[in-house]
Amino acid sequence: MISFLINALKIIFLLGFLILIHEGGHCIVAKLCKVKVNEFAIGFGKVIWQKQGKETKYSIRMIPLGGFCSMEGEEEASDSEGSFSKASVWKRIAIVVAGAAVNIIFGIIVYFILVSTVGLQFADPTKDTFLNRIYYGGQRTGAFIGSIFESIKMLFTGGVKTDQMVGIVGISEVVVQTSKLVDYIYLLSVISVSLGVTNLLPIPALDGGKILVLLIEIIRCKPMKVETEAKIQLIGFSILIALSLFVTYNDILRIGS
């Protein structure tokens, strides 16, 4: 029972923390750009805790599988002061990019620190210097980032099949298998960078899809119709949900075999 609770807490903390810094990135940059944030929430479903700030309501919800940063005028056009839809296109791009950027920067920093300290084993003790650690950390970090982009490339070119993709269930299994704090933090950094990079892909319903729409707005010198953008986002969201269910099903089959 105790082991189950510890594993559950490890999974909840990892997901909650990554969501917190991702949505926190959106929230902080939105406020810096004078865009009103109506609610900042971690989790979905029933509210289990909330606090009303001067402008923003902060809440924690029951299902720890996501979160959101609800901005004025984000889902529909609004003429209210501090509306997202009334902000300049470059401010809107900055706000959308911020979430994934925080995930990537956090993950890279943590990964770099780990491989620059506990991840080194020099055969020659004389080479175990501060500069060598920095060099090794940078080298490993660059290779790690490159491997993420290579995996994404393989996914689109057929090098990786969809039944080889890992979803929330598969990630949870890996988290449960970590026994040392260093391994857990390493996994946290890897997932954080992967989440950030994936979220920037130009796919509707992801931040990358929203950025693509904003870039089209810059090229056309006028915003896309709200109805058209909503339909695109809905189609993208439906595809992502279907893919998530498929990947989760394969995760369960893989674990059960």
Side-chain angles (χ1 to χ4, degrees):
M1 183 65 179
I2 294 178
S3 176
F4 172 80
L5 290 175
I6 292 174
N7 288 332
L9 287 174
K10 285 164 65 176
I11 295 169
I12 291 172
F13 176 81
L14 184 141
L15 294 175
F17 180 78
L18 293 182
I19 293 165
L20 173 66
I21 63 174
H22 180 92
E23 298 300 335
H26 292 312
C27 182
I28 291 171
V29 176
K31 288 179 177 292
L32 289 174
C33 292
K34 308 299 182 183
V35 171
K36 183 181 178 182
V37 178
N38 293 323
E39 183 176 0
F40 177 81
I42 301 300
F44 294 121
K46 184 178 179 180
V47 174
I48 57 177
W49 175 89
Q50 69 177 17
K51 179 178 177 61
Q52 180 64 53
K54 182 179 179 181
E55 174 185 87
T56 307
K57 180 171 68 176
Y58 301 91
S59 63
I60 297 176
R61 294 170 179 257
M62 185 171 290
I63 306 172
L65 297 178
F68 58 88
C69 174
S70 176
M71 292 172 279
E72 180 71 27
E74 181 183 12
E75 300 298 331
E76 56 186 26
S78 171
D79 293 324
S80 301
E81 183 180 355
S83 170
F84 177 83
S85 58
K86 291 297 181 181
S88 72
V89 66
W90 293 109
K91 285 185 177 181
R92 281 178 280 152
I93 288 176
I95 293 169
V96 175
V97 168
V102 171
N103 280 127
I104 294 171
I105 292 169
F106 167 79
I108 288 175
I109 290 173
V110 173
Y111 185 87
F112 180 83
I113 292 172
L114 288 177
V115 299
S116 299
T117 53
V118 298
L120 290 176
Q121 290 185 3
F122 288 105
D124 185 353
T126 62
K127 293 184 178 180
D128 189 4
T129 65
F130 178 75
L131 290 178
N132 276 331
R133 287 174 179 270
I134 295 297
Y135 172 77
Y136 181 81
Q139 188 182 52
R140 285 283 301 275
T141 303
F144 165 58
I145 296 172
S147 68
I148 292 176
F149 283 105
E150 184 62 28
S151 298
I152 293 173
K153 176 184 174 182
M154 291 173 65
L155 178 62
F156 284 96
T157 58
V160 175
K161 297 180 180 178
T162 52
D163 60 1
Q164 294 177 294
M165 296 171 64
V166 177
I168 185 65
V169 175
I171 291 174
S172 298
E173 182 190 19
V174 177
V175 172
V176 167
Q177 291 174 354
T178 58
S179 56
K180 298 180 180 178
L181 180 60
V182 170
D183 295 334
Y184 182 79
I185 296 175
Y186 168 79
L187 184 62
L188 181 68
S189 68
V190 169
I191 296 175
S192 185
V193 177
S194 301
L195 174 65
V197 173
T198 303
N199 213 266
L200 289 177
L201 293 177
I203 299 173
L206 294 181
D207 287 340
K210 296 177 182 178
I211 294 169
L212 179 61
V213 170
L214 292 171
L215 291 176
I216 292 173
E217 178 179 331
I218 292 175
I219 295 171
R220 296 175 68 238
C221 297
K222 62 178 182 179
M224 185 180 292
K225 290 183 178 179
V226 176
E227 297 80 7
T228 302
E229 184 178 349
K231 288 178 181 178
I232 293 174
Q233 296 294 344
L234 180 60
I235 292 172
F237 183 73
S238 300
I239 293 173
L240 283 179
I241 291 295
L243 180 60
S244 297
L245 292 173
F246 176 74
V247 171
T248 300
Y249 174 73
N250 281 320
D251 280 345
I252 296 172
L253 289 181
R254 186 165 48 244
I255 294 171
S257 62

